């Protein structure tokens, strides 16, 4: 039986091996797909507000660029590790192939605690980190974007630093920028909008009535909060539980995400929301509901709690929220898992739209963005779902079969250089 790895890179490698065997890939190909193409570790100084100098460690990992330039976000978090970034870079490769956008995968991260840093410190950290990455990144080689605890302001500093270094404005170096700097309409909610389209499709194929459907969401950052809003407003689902890193709340008659968001802005947490009952994050994950959305960190669902998951559909807003063992348990229980590399691919898809718009200096309307995203997500969902049905495998295995096969075919067509 597969083990409950907590190291996301080990999970990622095991997934490739499992699927590689089903696809009948030879050992060399599996090894090639399991390892990142390039990795950079940087240790760099940042002057802090109190006059001291602090040394930070950052990474950029490029997993694969066979199908196009490397693409992936960068996260600022105290628990960033090189292995985590390797896994996330690999998942970007499969994600881009799943939704068929012409990118390879990359990821970056800096070990830091952005919640404890001033805006000035974050700006200096970002500018120095970008400068250290200069040899690796470029609008046709590796295009960073947002991820945990990085936002449109971070991307603005990123774009400015790169542009100042090359001597002219280069919006296409990074995505997730504010609209006034060449950002795309709809990028801020794109991951959640893509997730919402996947949930819509999953409910349709499962014959679940929207009026009767309830939702629990773990995490109230960009993905969790926008998912709550869109699942309620656009699909009419009832949001019965929400949480952030300090804990959760539940209310069976339904929560109003906008009002909870305002409460969190005022008090710093979703907890103690008037009319709701406080619960722990563990309780949130075990809430009886139609759709459970893990939208926080990796390893939220493990062999410890998978048995207690009481949802018909698991919509993975986070990257790598389920371990291999959890996956097996969920498959046995018959939970319909919409895997991360499909479910949260709306973010990188609209990042791709942003990059295309930047390269063409031609901008699209909100309506065009939504239509194109809807089309891509709906098609990808149906491809993965049909493959799962026809091959009698779960949706994650189906998404891996399709995406790894895409990368393998591209690798074979290009041939091994020299
Ligand atoms: N952080 C996003 C993800 O995990 C993608 C970032 C980007 O747009 O490059 O899919």
């Amino acid at each position: 039986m597969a083990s409950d790895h907590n190291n996301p890179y080990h999970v990622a490698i095991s997934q490739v091996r499992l699927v590689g065997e089903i696809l009948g890939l030879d050992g060399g190909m599996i090894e090639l797909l399991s390892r990142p193409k390039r990795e950079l570790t940087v240790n760099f100084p940042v002057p802090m507000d109190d006059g001291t100098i602090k040394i930070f460690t950052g990474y950029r990992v490029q997993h694969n660029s066979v199908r196009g330039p490397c693409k992936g976000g960068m996260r600022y978090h105290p628990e960033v590790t090189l292995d985590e970034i390797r896994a996330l870079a690999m998942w970007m490769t499969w994600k881009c192939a799943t939704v068929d956008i012409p990118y390879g995968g990359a990821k970056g991260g800096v070990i830091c605690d952005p919640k404890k840093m001033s805006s000035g410190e974050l700006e200096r950290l970002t500018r120095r980190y970008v400068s250290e990455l200069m040899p690796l990144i470029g609008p046709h080689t590796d295009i960073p974007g947002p991820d945990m605890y990085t936002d449109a302001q971070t991307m603005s500093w990123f774009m400015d630093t790169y542009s100042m270094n090359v001597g002219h404005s280069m919006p296409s170096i990074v995505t997730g920028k504010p609209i006034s700097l060449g950002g795309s309409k709809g990028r801020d909610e794109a991951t959640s909008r893509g997730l919402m389209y996947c949930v819509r499709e999953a409910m349709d194929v499962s014959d679940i009535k929207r009026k009767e459907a309830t939702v629990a969401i773990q995490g109230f950052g960009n993905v969790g909060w926008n998912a709550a809003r869109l699942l309620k407003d656009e699909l009419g689902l009832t949001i019965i539980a929400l949480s952030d890193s300090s804990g959760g709340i539940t209310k069976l008659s339904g929560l109003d995400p906008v009002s909870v968001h305002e409460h969190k802005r005022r008090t710093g947490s979703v907890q103690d929301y008037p009319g709701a009952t406080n619960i722990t994050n563990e309780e949130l994950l075990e809430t009886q509901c139609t759709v459970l959305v893990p939208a926080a960190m990796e390893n939220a669902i493990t062999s410890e709690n998978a048995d207690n998951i009481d949802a018909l559909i698991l919509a993975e807003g986070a990257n790598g929220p389920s371990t291999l063992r959890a996956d097996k348990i969920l498959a046995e229980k018959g939970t319909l898992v919409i895997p991360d590399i499909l479910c949260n691919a709306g973010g990188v898809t609209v990042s791709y739209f942003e990059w295309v718009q930047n390269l063409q200096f031609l901008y699209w309307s909100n309506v065009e963005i939504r239509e194109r995203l809807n089309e891509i997500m709906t098609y990808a969902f149906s491809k993965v779902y049909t493959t799962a049905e026809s091959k009698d495998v779960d949706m994650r295995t189906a998404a891996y079969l399709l995406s790894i096969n895409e990368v393998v075919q591209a690798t074979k067509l290009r041939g091994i250089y020299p």
Side-chain angles (χ1 to χ4, degrees):
M1 178 157 164
S3 68
D4 218 359
H5 291 301
N6 285 327
N7 179 328
Y9 186 43
H10 295 167
V11 174
I13 292 176
S14 303
Q15 288 163 334
V16 174
R17 294 212 174 119
L18 283 173
V19 172
E21 277 164 29
I22 304 180
L23 285 171
L25 302 181
D26 64 53
M29 183 61 86
I30 293 179
E31 193 63 24
L32 176 65
L33 300 173
S34 303
R35 294 196 194 209
K37 169 192 172 73
R38 267 190 209 119
E39 308 180 336
L40 180 67
T41 299
V42 290
N43 298 299
F44 57 92
V46 176
M48 306 304 279
D49 289 348
D50 64 5
T52 60
I53 289 176
K54 207 170 157 198
I55 309 299
F56 289 87
T57 300
Y59 308 104
R60 184 76 185 167
V61 174
Q62 298 176 343
H63 172 254
N64 189 293
S65 61
V66 170
R67 297 180 62 258
C70 294
K71 182 83 188 88
M74 43 176 211
R75 60 174 55 181
Y76 290 172
H77 197 273
E79 281 156 36
V80 162
T81 64
L82 180 54
D83 271 355
E84 178 197 35
I85 301 299
R86 286 171 170 151
L88 290 162
M90 195 194 291
W91 289 330
M92 288 309 299
T93 304
W94 314 139
K95 193 183 297 188
C96 294
T98 300
V99 285
D100 200 15
I101 56 176
Y103 281 142
K107 201 81 173 196
V110 178
I111 308 169
C112 64
D113 192 349
K115 287 185 186 168
K116 296 196 180 130
M117 293 171 70
S118 71
S119 169
E121 289 170 340
L122 285 170
E123 176 173 356
R124 293 191 290 279
L125 176 137
T126 302
R127 289 188 181 280
R128 182 63 190 243
Y129 173 57
V130 177
S131 305
E132 299 289 343
L133 295 190
M134 288 292 291
L136 218 59
I137 56 173
H140 296 286
T141 50
D142 182 356
I143 307 109
D147 198 76
M148 281 175 70
Y149 296 115
T150 57
D151 58 16
Q153 176 61 75
T154 323
M155 303 308 130
S156 306
W157 294 325
F158 196 111
M159 180 267 195
D160 182 68
T161 305
Y162 189 89
S163 299
M164 295 313 287
N165 273 277
V166 296
H168 53 95
S169 276
M170 183 71 85
S172 53
I173 181 58
V174 71
T175 60
K177 302 177 294 294
I179 291 179
S180 54
L181 286 182
S184 178
K185 298 206 167 72
R187 177 61 186 88
D188 50 349
E189 60 162 35
T191 308
S192 314
R193 180 166 287 280
L195 179 147
M196 182 267 290
Y197 292 141
C198 285
V199 169
R200 180 194 64 197
E201 296 304 299
M203 287 179 54
D204 284 355
V205 296
S206 312
D207 260 336
I208 298 171
K209 307 249 172 321
R210 294 186 193 171
K211 265 209 324 266
E212 289 153 20
T214 54
V215 181
I217 302 179
Q218 182 210 27
F220 209 56
N222 178 274
V223 179
W225 132 249
N226 279 303
R229 189 175 58 77
L230 292 169
L231 290 170
K232 175 175 180 291
D233 293 350
E234 303 217 2
L235 296 189
L237 314 189
T238 308
I239 313 296
I240 57 165
L242 293 169
S243 77
D244 59 25
S245 53
S246 52
I249 48 170
T250 183
K251 186 177 175 193
L252 293 183
S253 59
L255 291 157
D256 173 22
V258 176
S259 157
V260 176
H261 194 252
E262 175 52 26
H263 171 80
K264 182 175 161 79
R265 202 191 54 76
R266 266 190 294 111
T267 65
S269 148
V270 298
Q271 287 217 309
D272 300 323
Y273 178 72
T277 310
N278 283 345
I279 52 172
T280 62
N281 255 302
E282 291 72 39
E283 287 168 329
L284 180 129
L285 291 169
E286 297 175 7
T287 301
Q288 184 184 26
C289 57
T290 316
V291 184
L292 174 64
V293 181
M297 294 279 288
E298 298 95 52
N299 296 321
I301 303 169
T302 66
S303 58
E304 309 264 296
N305 61 0
D307 244 338
N308 302 332
I309 299 293
D310 201 354
L312 299 177
I313 296 170
L314 181 74
E316 295 188 334
N319 289 311
S322 315
T323 65
L324 291 174
R325 268 199 187 175
D327 240 3
K328 213 160 180 263
I329 297 169
L330 294 170
E332 277 158 17
K333 280 161 66 112
T335 312
L336 178 59
V337 177
I338 315 173
D340 50 1
I341 58 170
L342 167 66
C343 197
N344 70 35
V348 72
T349 301
V350 177
S351 273
Y352 164 62
F353 295 165
E354 179 174 335
W355 179 73
V356 169
Q357 294 170 80
N358 291 156
L359 292 175
Q360 297 184 336
F361 296 98
L362 178 69
Y363 287 86
W364 307 347
S365 70
N366 227 327
V367 174
E368 277 172 288
I369 298 283
R370 287 183 189 180
E371 275 174 8
R372 288 180 200 247
L373 179 63
N374 191 3
E375 195 182 321
I376 287 180
M377 297 304 299
T378 309
Y379 182 65
F381 182 95
S382 123
K383 225 172 35 173
V384 173
Y385 185 76
T386 338
T387 304
E389 293 282 287
S390 67
K391 300 230 183 290
D392 197 20
V393 293
D394 58 64
M395 292 268 287
R396 191 186 317 280
T397 309
Y400 270 83
L401 283 170
L402 289 165
S403 58
I404 292 183
N405 192 45
E406 282 293 324
V407 177
V408 169
Q409 292 316 315
T411 309
K412 288 187 175 160
L413 284 167
R414 285 181 62 158
I416 307 286
Y417 181 84

